């Protein structure tokens, strides 16, 4: 049984990888957003910044 020329076990491997990677991506994006907000708030109060 093939779908798009891949055997069923390759689809299983792809599904497992996606299930493992997606939560890590969400966690990384939340961390990155928090980091960007913290960086922006730190720069906002400094004297001499052109931003």
């Amino acid at each position: 049984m093939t779908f798009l020329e891949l055997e069923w076990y390759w689809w299983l491997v792809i599904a497992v990888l996606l299930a493992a990677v997606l939560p890590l991506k969400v966690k990384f994006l939340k961390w990155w957003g928090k980091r960007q907000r913290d960086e922006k708030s730190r720069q906002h109060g400094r004297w001499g910044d052109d931003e």
Side-chain angles (χ1 to χ4, degrees):
M1 184 169 123
T2 61
F3 181 69
L4 296 178
E5 300 298 321
L6 289 178
E7 293 291 333
W8 66 270
Y9 50 85
W10 286 115
W11 289 111
L12 184 63
V13 169
I14 291 168
V16 168
L17 288 175
L18 284 176
V21 169
L22 286 177
L24 293 174
K25 181 179 178 183
V26 169
K27 189 173 185 176
F28 173 77
L29 289 176
K30 285 182 181 179
W31 171 80
W32 186 258
K34 183 179 182 295
R35 182 177 174 270
Q36 293 293 339
R37 283 191 308 273
D38 290 347
E39 231 175 69
K40 195 172 189 177
S41 68
R42 265 188 260 126
Q43 289 180 354
H44 184 67
R46 293 184 182 170
W47 288 12
D49 282 346
D50 292 334
E51 297 182 45

